[in-house]
Amino acid sequence: QVQLVESGGGSVQAGGSLRLSCAASGYTYHSYCMGWFRQAPGKEREGVAAVDSDRDTHYADSVKGRFTISQDDAKNTLYLQMNSLKPDDTATYYCAAGNSWYDCYSGSWRYGLDFWGKGTLVTISS
């Protein structure tokens, strides 16, 4: 049973930084695509960043140069380092995982993956 648990959300001022973590358990796929998504009130869910089992990374244009996705295999943890935060980054952030690197490669990850965490709230004040 795959479980994804996010942490690290909070409230910061514009220009600040946050690092989100996603602890994964029960996930043993050798080929995978893992990502971060966000959803603000009244807006559609957006794929923010993803990384696959080949360590290739993918980013939404809105966060390129500001956000960095990474993973620690020993800790089974996915991270999202968010710098130069803007009020538009305010949203609930979700961790998700799929069992095929092709989800990342093809870009289909942006539409969603197989397994989801419950989310962590990020609030950026101006």
Side-chain angles (χ1 to χ4, degrees), residues 10-16 85-88 90 122-126:
S11 298
V12 297
Q13 290 191 324
L85 284 161
K86 306 174 181 179
D88 284 349
T90 295
V122 172
T123 304
I124 312 302
S125 58
S126 58

Side-chain angles (χ1 to χ4, degrees), residues 34 63 82:
M34 297 188 72
V63 305
M82 306 187 294

Side-chain angles (χ1 to χ4, degrees), residues 72-118:
D72 185 329
D73 292 339
K75 295 181 178 181
N76 290 329
T77 301
L78 183 73
Y79 300 102
L80 185 68
Q81 178 66 44
M82 306 187 294
N83 299 329
S84 301
L85 284 161
K86 306 174 181 179
D88 284 349
D89 295 319
T90 295
T92 297
Y93 284 71
Y94 299 89
C95 172
N99 58 5
S100 171
W101 70 273
Y102 191 74
D103 291 333
C104 278
Y105 177 79
S106 67
S108 66
W109 69 274
R110 301 177 192 277
Y111 303 104
L113 293 168
D114 301 312
F115 307 103
W116 293 85
K118 294 184 178 181

Side-chain angles (χ1 to χ4, degrees), residues 5 9 12 16-18 20 25 31 34-35 44-46 48 55 58 62 64 68 77-78 87 90 104 114 120 126:
V5 180
V12 297
S17 299
L18 281 173
L20 305 183
S25 61
S31 172
M34 297 188 72
E44 292 188 356
R45 186 181 64 200
E46 176 187 21
V48 174
R55 297 294 195 266
H58 313 265
S62 58
K64 279 181 182 176
T68 302
T77 301
L78 183 73
T90 295
C104 278
D114 301 312
T120 185
S126 58

